[in-house]
Amino acid sequence: MTFSLKINGANHQADVDPDTPLLWVLRDVLGMTGTKFGCGMALCGACTVHLDGNPIRSCITPVGSIGTSAITTIEAVGETPAGRKIQRAWLDLEVVQCGYCQSGQIMSASALIASNAKPSDTDIDNAMSGNICRCGTYGRIRAAIKHAAQLSDAN
Amino acid sequence: MFTDRFAEGHGAGEPSGLSRRNFLKAGAAAGGGLILGVAFARGGMAQTAQEFAPDAFVRIDRDGRVAIIVCQVEMGQGTYTSMPMLIAEELEVPLSQVHVEHAPPDDRLYANPLIGFQVTGGSTSVRGFWKPLREAGAAARTMLISAAAQTWSVDPSTCRAEAGQVIHAPSGRKLAYGALADKAATLPAPSHAALKDPKDFKLIGTPAKRLDTPPKVNGAAKYGIDTRLPGMKVATVAACPVFGGKLAHVDDSKAKAVNGVRQIVQIDNAVAVVADHMGAAKKGLAALAITWDEGVNAKLSTQDIVDQLDAATQKPGIVAKQEGDVEKAIKGAAKIIEAVYREPLLAHTTMEPINCTVHVRKDGCDIWVGTQVIARAQAIAAEITGLPLDKIAVHNHVLGGGFGRRLEVDFIGQTVRIGQQVDGPVKIIWTREEDIHHDIYRPYYYDRLRAGLDDQGMPIAFHHRVGGPSILSRWAPPAFKNGLDGDAVEGADGPYGFPNLLIDYVRQEPPPGLLVGWWRGVGVTHNAFMVEGFVDELAAAAGKDPVEYRRALLGKAPRARAVLDLAAEKADWGKPLPPRSARGVALVFGFGSYIAHIAEVTIDKDGSVEVKRIVCAVDCGTVVNPDTVKAQIEGGTIYGITAALYGEITIKNGRVEQNNFDSYPALRMNEAPAIEVHLIDSNESPGGIGEPGTPGAAPAIVNAIFAATGKRLRKLPVDKDLLKSA
Ligand code: FES
Ligand code: FES
């Protein structure tokens, strides 16, 4: 079946079974490898993308369920004010180690600050505990989210 | 730690630098400009300038770009910044002018000076390359100055290098490195290039921004798993779930009918589904009806392994270290304390699942992968295909985590075998389940400890019998000498001085098929839990404060005592906490670094353990990038907490019982404590930092649990059921 997907503002076609997870359509069919595979079971958050601005796990999202919703991935999240601030904050505070989980962390974090200008520690726990980082960058992620919330839109 | 087994003359006390002279070599780069390398005296290098080509560490192009060829891989630990910093410091170029290239595989040219072949592991990168890379930078600087001096017909001593150019101070003339590179390439490499005085360092010791991170925040960084090639297929694989078992029969009729599935490939012990994309490959794999020949391990369980270790460690092992007379001292002791400590099998679960891409052809083979041992990747492909080494090209990538898992090439061999049956390039991705079922695990350890205390409660005898397999005997057989595995006993007496000491080693291998290997912190992680838990028991038996007790054993270890004191001060050691909350301490020496962890925990009524705060004090000698040191200690500590609270691989009917992050959990944001890292100012040689954060986490936590509850845990992971309050 051919699906027409709105990704990062552009239309893309993919000819796959409707139960194919969005993750593999992005990575293998469309070549957008910034979104990562970590568990395939919504346990790690590495595959997080935005669906109409909300963070979802693309590894368990069948492509057939998306319809006309707009998908944003790590490749384009920097074009949103929240995404730009989060990326800036990640570099300012040197959050990243191996970096493999960070696409997902950044997608979760930018969705958080887009909807919550001043997240508390509990808000951060709630929004970020689905994202595993085996390099253990949690302390810096927490600090960087708070730092991002302080940055101006122009940043 | 295993590196010291290879590097003769580099004992724990002098972990860095090369005692023998390194040869600097220079020449013209293929496209113009200067290239410069270091031939390590240890590695049997080509010694003539004509042979000089690929073993470069620095290349200066005519346009002034400085390429630094890094043979140590980047897996999050910051080598793609720290290695360039060493060169850039001496070369006098800003980091912003530098770009990093992966080195190709070559065990001779790019050997790790502390290990002897091309490997990133054992926290050796800064320790091993501290001197040679600065020498390379200094030599290049000297040659560029000479080239400028010749151009201007002035004395080189009147010129200096600064920010990528040579300046002739008296006349104010300047020439950029790019303009000097061709001329410099015609000059002989200096036999000796003076290194800067550390007090003149501009870059080393500063929190330089990492060079590898910008593409890691926008999805641009390419890991092995991101490999894409024209005509490439994607495959996923199932190996026999029972260790050592084989593939008996596959009915693939249903799998072949799955949309996008192209081919089913069988090898000796596994089957792969090759498809257009991973979604189809996974669906195809689920549709296979596979019959396994489960072999001799079909009934194996964890308890079998434990029973074997228990029996084997009843008898004395090979003596690893002996001082004084332990038996005699114990006879005269006022009190004898004995305990058995155990640690489980562990998986690594690198965030980037295991993957490898190959294109096997009649006349050559290309491999795209992220590996800590690039030359081994090349060698195993040569062995399987029968092709000569120079026909195997390995394209290395940044790694989505290593932790020791990518010191192994099992999955690369598997991919090559599958790739031999596929026309065109194929990428194999293991599911997370496959990753956990077929890891090369941190071994099960079963150690017996015994101490004799005097009437003051201080240890007059300390006996540590280590029981476990030998990783070295498989991974680096020459390093396994006289039946002794140096890694297994690394740190088995901690940083302490015991008047009578015996460390012996009982080698007990798991059943064939179950492979064990390196895991972050290697032998030091294993022994730190045993030793620091047991020393805490001794302090309790003596009725003494755990910090004071350790302090008293550190008369000959001032650096260890300094980190202990600093951690205690910063952690408010001794300040009262609410009931069922307490602090615990662990002190570790490893990889040339000293580290103290103090954990603050609270135990809930249901027995669950909340790690609230961790304070670390670290003396890793001269610091190259303090922010990276802190990040590594933070991350290493989290890795250790995960293992302490959750890490356990168990086996039933020959199969691993855990599957994914649900049954093999990792610490998450809501559980992660605040971690403070305090660095000691030091001019000592640099120590390692990639691993030292891990070993102290578990013992600090179990010691805090003891202080909070009176329950002494001698087995990991923490068993909540033992900690419920009535
Ligand atoms: S890959 Fe989707 S949550 Fe882990
Ligand atoms: S940075 Fe490596 S897993 Fe998060």
Side-chain angles (χ1 to χ4, degrees), chain A residues 97-102 133-135 137, chain B residues 351:
Chain A
Q97 292 191 26
C98 85
Y100 192 81
C101 73
Q102 299 296 347
C133 174
R134 286 291 278 149
C135 296
T137 63
Chain B
M351 208 65 230

Side-chain angles (χ1 to χ4, degrees), chain B residues 372-454:
Chain B
Q372 295 173 251
V373 281
I374 185 170
R376 286 192 171 186
Q378 186 185 43
I380 192 165
E383 190 186 310
I384 293 168
T385 58
L387 290 163
L389 278 183
D390 63 0
K391 297 288 178 218
I392 315 280
V394 187
H395 312 274
N396 211 1
H397 292 72
V398 291
L399 279 60
F403 312 130
R405 179 64 181 96
R406 290 186 162 96
L407 286 169
E408 304 290 348
V409 293
D410 56 316
F411 59 97
I412 298 171
Q414 184 196 60
T415 309
V416 171
R417 286 194 178 89
I418 292 164
Q420 285 178 313
Q421 300 185 45
V422 178
D423 200 14
V426 60
K427 169 163 67 182
I428 306 273
I429 302 173
W430 287 14
T431 60
R432 179 61 66 190
E433 290 79 4
E434 190 72 5
D435 172 47
I436 289 177
H437 295 167
H438 296 285
D439 203 338
I440 294 185
Y441 304 92
R442 198 290 300 274
Y444 200 108
Y445 287 107
Y446 192 103
D447 292 10
R448 294 176 186 275
L449 293 107
R450 198 158 62 111
L453 307 184
D454 65 16

Side-chain angles (χ1 to χ4, degrees), chain A residues 38-40 42-45 47 59:
Chain A
C39 71
L43 297 167
C44 78
C47 66
C59 70

Side-chain angles (χ1 to χ4, degrees), chain B residues 275-602:
Chain B
D276 294 340
H277 56 84
M278 182 69 171
K282 277 179 86 171
K283 205 167 156 185
L285 195 74
L288 289 175
I290 310 173
T291 314
W292 301 107
D293 168 4
E294 299 190 356
V296 293
N297 289 330
K299 289 277 165 280
L300 181 75
S301 74
T302 318
Q303 194 56 46
D304 299 327
I305 295 171
V306 179
D307 290 346
Q308 287 170 3
L309 283 161
D310 180 49
T313 52
Q314 306 279 353
K315 296 193 203 77
I318 304 254
V319 174
K321 198 168 176 185
Q322 189 165 23
E323 278 154 27
D325 187 335
V326 157
E327 292 309 327
K328 203 167 131 204
I330 279 188
K331 279 203 189 86
K335 201 174 202 176
I336 298 170
I337 312 276
E338 288 184 85
V340 172
Y341 274 76
R342 295 155 55 172
E343 290 171 40
L345 294 164
L346 292 175
H348 300 79
T349 56
T350 56
M351 208 65 230
E352 179 190 2
I354 292 299
N355 68 87
C356 179
T357 304
V358 296
H359 187 188
V360 186
R361 302 170 306 277
K362 264 200 188 61
D363 59 348
C365 171
D366 281 71
I367 303 173
W368 295 262
V369 72
T371 174
Q372 295 173 251
V373 281
I374 185 170
R376 286 192 171 186
Q378 186 185 43
I380 192 165
E383 190 186 310
I384 293 168
T385 58
L387 290 163
L389 278 183
D390 63 0
K391 297 288 178 218
I392 315 280
V394 187
H395 312 274
N396 211 1
H397 292 72
V398 291
L399 279 60
F403 312 130
R405 179 64 181 96
R406 290 186 162 96
L407 286 169
E408 304 290 348
V409 293
D410 56 316
F411 59 97
I412 298 171
Q414 184 196 60
T415 309
V416 171
R417 286 194 178 89
I418 292 164
Q420 285 178 313
Q421 300 185 45
V422 178
D423 200 14
V426 60
K427 169 163 67 182
I428 306 273
I429 302 173
W430 287 14
T431 60
R432 179 61 66 190
E433 290 79 4
E434 190 72 5
D435 172 47
I436 289 177
H437 295 167
H438 296 285
D439 203 338
I440 294 185
Y441 304 92
R442 198 290 300 274
Y444 200 108
Y445 287 107
Y446 192 103
D447 292 10
R448 294 176 186 275
L449 293 107
R450 198 158 62 111
L453 307 184
D454 65 16
D455 53 8
Q456 299 299 305
M458 297 313 288
I460 48 173
F462 188 90
H463 176 198
H464 184 171
R465 177 171 298 157
V466 171
S470 166
I471 301 171
L472 281 175
S473 65
R474 174 183 63 82
W475 195 82
F480 179 69
K481 291 194 192 109
N482 306 321
L484 182 63
D485 185 300
D487 166 69
V489 297
E490 185 77 27
D493 53 347
Y496 307 109
F498 299 109
N500 295 284
L501 172 72
L502 174 62
I503 298 169
D504 61 340
Y505 167 63
V506 174
R507 181 183 177 192
Q508 176 63 48
E509 294 293 330
L514 198 171
L515 294 181
V516 291
W518 308 115
W519 192 93
R520 196 173 190 173
V522 296
V524 180
T525 294
H526 143 227
N527 282 307
F529 172 67
M530 315 298 200
V531 173
E532 284 303 279
F534 190 61
V535 167
D536 220 64
E537 288 196 51
L538 304 186
K544 297 201 164 129
D545 173 81
V547 167
E548 281 311 312
Y549 193 81
R550 285 174 172 78
R551 231 180 157 268
L553 299 172
L554 294 170
K556 292 199 188 104
R559 294 175 73 188
R561 205 169 55 202
V563 295
L564 180 65
D565 287 347
L566 181 62
E569 177 204 322
K570 298 288 183 189
D572 308 310
W573 184 262
K575 203 164 153 193
L577 289 169
R580 286 177 70 81
S581 292
R583 298 182 191 87
V585 64
L587 179 64
V588 174
F589 172 71
F591 316 96
S593 298
Y594 297 83
I595 178 164
H597 276 79
I598 292 181
E600 194 178 307
V601 306
T602 295

